[in-house]
Amino acid sequence: MSLATRTRKALYAGATAALLGATLVGASAAPASAEPRDGTCNAGEFCLYYGEGQSGAVADFANSKRDYTENGSCISFRGAGKAGAGVCVQNHAKSVWNRTGATAYEFYNSNFGGTHDVIPAGTQANLNANVYNDNASHILGDASLRFPLNVTQAQIKNRSPHWCWDSKTNCHHDYNAADIFAATGTAVVSPVAGTVMTKNIRSSGVGSTVTVKDRFGRLWYFAHMHHSPAPVVSVGQHVEKGTRIGTVGTSAHALGTPAHLHLDMRVGVDERVGCSGSGCASYGFVNNQPLLRTAFLARPAS
């Protein structure tokens, strides 16, 4: 599929290019031997290839990339005389060699969203069907989530209505977000290790809210939590996966619907934009459903 027809995956605006700074792509320092994008897959690099079996031109990276643009232009494969040299990396990678020493995630969407492939350290492989010739970003490190509620699978599946745990796309009705229906008082926990950026205690409207930013620049927003007891974290606090944040609030806090946790995510921001419903559709919220679903299926069945 051509790059032009995949605008849902690309972020070519100048503002996006400006966001490719150290905060997002500096998840870990590259070893001294790594010389990113010199057309050679060196130790310490994550390398995408134009061809299967690590053949053809290569794009080598030492850090996470939220999209495959730089200074407003598409990053291309390198390798004089090799197949694919000069071709845009986005939507054209077929195989990979992960020489970073850490697990890597290759994503279908920019901003670390959508379906993905997990590439363990040291692995040489063809990309899986989720991202084969359909790749748009990657994370070098553990991008996985811990499910944000202390529940069993049965406690979610048996609720009515219930969260669309079996879907690969977010099921919020207006934009990329998850509404996970759960009993009032269910413990809300952090899905990631990161820093608490904001905390607001409210007894009405969207209820209490918290945001947590992880080391990959992903800002996670939790809403509809209870005000009494209020969220238990503090702004500036470091949290780990599973650290308790608060509790699912009452139906009043969930805007008149059955009690649920609202979760959404954006990349490269420190505050959650002040939008709701369809007004959020243009702000770049990310489809995190595949990661969330994997985390859910790791919970006890009953």
Side-chain angles (χ1 to χ4, degrees), residues 11-21 67 69-73:
L11 296 175
Y12 291 116
T16 296
L19 287 171
L20 296 173
D67 65 26
T69 64
E70 193 164 71
N71 298 322
S73 299

Side-chain angles (χ1 to χ4, degrees), residues 81-107:
K82 294 183 177 180
V87 174
C88 182
V89 172
Q90 180 170 309
N91 302 335
H92 292 104
K94 299 179 183 68
S95 63
V96 61
W97 187 4
N98 180 8
R99 303 192 69 189
T100 66
T103 299
Y105 287 68
E106 184 69 29
F107 291 93

